[in-house]
Amino acid sequence: MAKRPVPGIIFFPRFPLIGVFLAFFIAAPVFFPSLEAAERFHINLRNCPVYYRLGFDLAEIRHIPGTASTGRWWRLDRFPARGPLRVRDLVIPGLAGRPFLSARMLRDMEFTFLVPFTLDAEGDRAIQAGATPGLFISALGDNWEIYLNGSLIRSELYLAPDGSIGVHRALEEIALPLFHEAIPAGQNILAIRIVGDPSGQRTGLFRAGPVYAGDYDSIRARQTAGALVRTWLAALFFFTAVCFLWLYCLRRKESYHGHFAVFILVFLVHLLSGTEMVRALITDTALLLRIEYASLFLIAPFFGFFAESRLRYGDGSGSAEGKGFFLYMKIYFLVCLAAAALLFVFPFGFEADILLLWKCTIGPAVLLFFVHDVILAYAAASAERYQAALREKSRAAKRDLYLEAFRDSAEGRLLAITAALIAAAIVDSVNVLFFRADPVITRFALAAYIFASMLTLIRRIELLHAALDGRDRECAGAEETIAALKRALEDGGAQLEQKIHDLTQAHMRITVNTQHYQSLFNESRDPLAVLDGNLRFVQANSAAIKLFSLEYVDIENRTTLIPALPDRLFLGAADREMRLEQFWNSVYAFRLNKTPMELDVFTASGERRRHFTVRLEYRISPDTGFEIFARFRLHDEAPPRPA
């Protein structure tokens, strides 16, 4: 028998997929660029002083501002210790901010940052020995130009004729190579010209990441390795989402597969929206920022949909369809969807206000979900196990049963996952509020969870293939059985046809005999009747109906009270009770022996009694099991009864 292909668009080969996947996971970093060689020189610019001013003048970026220009320049001793260097966080007299939730955006303005630094003798020797100098900035926006010692290094300035920004170019992980002559030994000045909304969250160096000058080969190797890791993880996440969608198409009742696939895809869009690969496809970073925030808003609702459908499928009902989700989850999804839509409606710059509103709603929503959907579900599952243990009179401790539910049940696993994600979010919130660091732990936690789900998915696919193999073997055995039955039918076909013909002829003879018997029964002059076990009339011919006065009794349809034969015997006799007792004793003996019996009885017809002999015969009945055939032979009429 040919092997049946697996339904669906993906075919998984039938060998241990987990081992192959782990081998690929371990071997993949081998192909990434090696970082074993240390940097030959490194200058941390975040430790250097920063001069900033409103506006830009090319003549003022070749030297450090002196005392005569302090009215236009302001100085920071160094970069913020744990935070970005954004224009809106700086003290610039006369620079007004934008009111919260105001749809009126501030006009784009120019700003200048100067960062003086020193290339020491060791760095100069490294450059003279062949090291390519380079510059790395973790993030810079919105439109900008970079100068080194007055020479333009790179420009991402796209202004409209009115001076406003035409194309937004807030970039991350900027790596720039420098000419050997561009960075001489001794003092150097890095100048950054910035154009953007002074209240915007991406105007300035908007990430708390590194800013340094160093070996460009090492900078580029780190950047390439990070890009390859992100691309590799994105491919794995996309593959996982496709697999879960495939499982959902195979089994629509397990709707949590589809919800989890959508959750992975939304999270994947959020991760890829800020990568260099996507920025090469979409040049306007304002659109990328809207996509990044919109996907961020929808991550939590889709995870909630997945969690609820998973719990509802695992509650013993077997399906989450038709039950729907809790009302608050639907409402929160609509709120997040509306917030995502507003990102594309209002002007660029309004997204920071929407993000702040979302941050105010995410905490209560996650807390409600964690308590209502996770903790209460886990408590109910644990209580159910405890009640089952009490019914079975088990001696297991309550604490052990709760730990077992935490380890083995879907509610317990979801509790552990959600608690870990909430803990990561709390740590990220503390980092953002107090240390001004980027929220990266939650992203890593979500990525780790998706990665673990991928391993679980691979194991489930292996089990699915094992089940398909078993069904293939069952189908092969069934086909062999069907073939054997077919051969047996072909071999015994002639005999079966003959048996069918014989049975048909026998049925026809039985039908004819029955009709003949019924005709003789109805046309007989002697009274004839068929009685049941209690001697009630089942059938009677016309002579018996006349003899026992059954003209008004519906014997055939049995819609009236059917009399019994003893009800019509010994009427008017003074010793009727004794005669009936003797009659029933004879009937009981007849029932035991099942041999024909004749009894002399009499009854009354009008003004005269009729003497007759009744012959009782025991017969098998297909309907009631047995029946009694009664034949009555009349004697001479008796003299009239005394008045």
Side-chain angles (χ1 to χ4, degrees):
M1 169 185 166
K3 186 172 288 186
R4 178 170 54 88
V6 179
I9 60 173
I10 303 176
F11 176 77
F12 296 95
R14 300 182 181 185
F15 49 80
L17 290 175
I18 291 181
V20 174
F21 177 78
L22 290 178
F24 173 72
F25 174 72
I26 295 173
V30 175
F31 300 97
F32 296 165
S34 176
L35 300 180
E36 295 180 357
E39 286 184 317
R40 284 179 274 187
F41 74 99
H42 183 93
I43 304 173
N44 186 3
L45 300 182
R46 293 187 66 90
N47 295 328
C48 299
V50 180
Y51 296 86
Y52 61 93
R53 60 160 287 184
L54 179 63
F56 175 78
D57 188 352
L58 185 60
E60 294 186 358
I61 64 173
R62 298 178 182 273
H63 57 272
I64 299 176
T67 57
S69 58
T70 53
R72 297 190 305 272
W73 290 91
W74 291 268
R75 184 180 187 274
L76 296 175
D77 293 335
R78 52 170 296 169
F79 277 70
R82 294 185 180 91
L85 182 62
R86 293 178 295 195
V87 170
R88 71 177 190 178
D89 299 328
L90 300 176
V91 178
I92 302 179
L95 190 63
R98 185 179 63 86
F100 180 68
L101 291 180
S102 174
R104 183 180 64 85
M105 299 294 108
L106 301 179
R107 65 181 181 86
D108 297 324
M109 304 177 66
E110 280 189 328
F111 304 90
T112 305
F113 289 171
L114 292 184
V115 183
F117 65 94
T118 301
L119 177 64
D120 56 16
E122 182 180 356
D124 184 59
R125 285 194 299 268
I127 294 176
Q128 297 301 325
T132 301
L135 181 67
F136 180 83
I137 301 177
S138 58
L140 184 60
D142 191 337
N143 272 207
W144 47 270
E145 288 181 338
I146 296 178
Y147 296 84
L148 183 59
N149 299 321
S151 300
L152 180 64
I153 303 300
R154 180 171 173 179
S155 176
E156 291 291 342
L157 209 60
Y158 301 94
L159 301 180
D162 60 353
S164 62
I165 295 177
V167 178
H168 297 270
R169 293 294 291 167
L171 304 182
E172 299 180 28
E173 297 185 358
I174 303 170
L176 302 175
L178 303 175
F179 295 107
H180 292 74
E181 299 79 9
I183 180 170
Q187 182 174 290
N188 296 268
I189 298 178
L190 173 67
I192 303 176
R193 178 188 181 186
I194 295 175
V195 179
D197 182 356
S199 64
Q201 63 174 349
R202 289 200 166 192
T203 303
L205 287 79
F206 56 88
R207 292 282 186 241
V211 179
Y212 65 91
D215 186 356
Y216 179 74
D217 294 335
S218 179
I219 294 173
R220 191 57 185 170
R222 285 192 176 90
Q223 191 179 38
T224 304
L228 288 176
V229 170
R230 285 190 294 269
T231 304
W232 177 67
L233 289 177
L236 290 180
F237 290 165
F238 180 76
F239 175 75
T240 304
V242 171
C243 291
F244 275 103
L245 284 176
W246 176 67
L247 288 179
Y248 171 69
C249 293
L250 291 181
R251 301 191 65 179
R252 294 293 182 90
K253 292 183 178 180
E254 299 180 7
S255 58
Y256 64 92
H257 284 146
H259 294 128
F260 190 66
V262 176
F263 160 71
I264 295 177
L265 292 176
V266 173
F267 179 66
L268 183 59
V269 170
H270 177 68
L271 286 183
L272 292 179
S273 57
T275 60
E276 184 178 4
M277 176 181 62
V278 177
R279 289 199 303 264
L281 299 176
I282 303 177
T283 57
D284 193 347
T285 55
L287 177 59
L288 290 178
L289 183 64
R290 292 186 173 105
I291 295 174
E292 179 182 354
Y293 282 177
S295 58
L296 176 64
F297 296 165
L298 297 177
I299 287 176
F302 280 117
F303 182 81
F305 287 156
F306 155 69
E308 285 193 5
S309 59
R310 182 66 184 92
L311 289 177
R312 294 176 188 279
Y313 182 82
D315 64 357
S317 63
S319 176
E321 293 184 357
K323 294 186 177 181
F325 299 104
F326 288 117
L327 180 61
Y328 79 87
M329 184 60 68
K330 296 179 180 179
I331 294 176
Y332 184 64
F333 170 72
L334 293 177
V335 170
C336 292
L337 191 62
L342 289 177
L343 293 172
F344 298 90
V345 174
F346 284 90
F348 181 71
F350 195 77
E351 73 284 346
D353 299 340
I354 300 178
L355 179 65
L356 182 59
L357 291 177
W358 175 81
K359 289 179 180 179
C360 295
T361 62
I362 185 64
V366 170
L367 182 61
L368 179 60
F369 164 74
F370 185 64
V371 173
H372 187 277
D373 284 8
V374 179
I375 294 181
L376 293 183
Y378 168 70
S382 302
E384 183 178 352
R385 288 174 179 256
Y386 182 69
Q387 295 298 327
L390 291 180
R391 289 193 298 268
E392 297 174 0
K393 297 181 179 180
S394 174
R395 295 183 178 180
K398 191 173 184 178
R399 179 178 60 86
D400 296 337
L401 293 175
Y402 273 79
L403 290 177
E404 180 183 351
F406 182 78
R407 183 182 63 250
D408 298 335
S409 66
E411 294 82 0
R413 290 190 293 270
L414 186 61
L415 173 62
I417 293 166
T418 309
L421 293 177
I422 292 177
I426 292 174
V427 173
D428 270 342
S429 301
V430 172
N431 287 335
V432 171
L433 292 176
F434 297 100
F435 302 102
R436 318 267 311 192
D438 292 333
V440 296
I441 299 179
T442 306
R443 294 182 181 179
F444 282 118
L446 285 172
Y449 172 59
I450 295 174
F451 184 77
S453 301
M454 185 165 25
L455 295 178
T456 304
L457 170 66
I458 291 175
R459 179 58 182 164
R460 180 158 189 173
I461 292 174
E462 288 184 343
L463 296 177
L464 177 62
H465 276 288
L468 290 175
D469 286 337
R471 291 186 179 181
D472 285 342
R473 291 190 291 269
E474 292 176 1
C475 290
E479 289 185 359
E480 293 178 358
T481 304
I482 293 173
L485 291 175
K486 186 177 180 180
R487 289 192 298 269
L489 289 175
E490 291 176 352
D491 295 340
Q495 299 178 3
L496 182 60
E497 290 180 0
Q498 183 63 37
K499 289 182 179 180
I500 293 174
H501 180 266
D502 295 343
L503 289 175
T504 303
Q505 294 297 322
H507 178 71
M508 294 177 61
R509 289 193 295 271
I510 291 173
T511 302
V512 172
N513 293 337
T514 301
Q515 294 175 352
H516 181 64
Y517 162 78
Q518 193 67 32
S519 176
L520 294 176
F521 180 86
N522 293 329
E523 296 176 2
S524 175
R525 294 183 178 181
D526 294 334
L528 303 175
V530 178
L531 310 175
D532 61 11
N534 295 321
L535 300 186
R536 296 186 182 276
F537 289 95
V538 177
Q539 283 184 310
N541 65 355
S542 57
I545 291 174
K546 182 178 180 181
L547 174 64
F548 295 109
S549 303
L550 301 176
E551 292 87 352
Y552 301 103
V553 178
D554 190 359
I555 298 177
E556 182 177 357
N557 296 322
R558 308 185 73 82
T559 58
T560 59
L561 182 63
I562 307 301
L565 176 62
D567 296 338
R568 296 293 194 265
L569 299 179
F570 311 118
L571 298 177
D575 55 350
R576 184 172 186 270
E577 296 296 330
M578 181 184 67
R579 289 177 179 275
L580 286 176
E581 183 178 357
Q582 293 176 352
F583 178 80
W584 277 112
N585 290 335
S586 301
V587 171
Y588 292 150
F590 163 73
R591 287 177 178 175
L592 292 175
N593 299 328
K594 296 182 176 59
T595 56
M597 175 181 291
E598 291 187 357
L599 299 173
D600 290 329
V601 295
F602 65 86
T603 185
S605 176
E607 295 296 325
R608 302 184 62 82
R609 289 186 297 177
R610 307 291 299 274
H611 285 259
F612 55 87
T613 299
V614 55
R615 179 181 174 84
L616 302 178
E617 298 179 2
Y618 187 90
R619 293 183 178 181
I620 302 298
S621 171
D623 298 328
T624 60
F626 74 94
E627 61 186 15
I628 300 173
F629 182 75
R631 183 191 298 273
F632 305 93
R633 187 174 68 253
L634 295 175
H635 298 169
D636 294 337
E637 295 182 353
R641 290 180 297 177

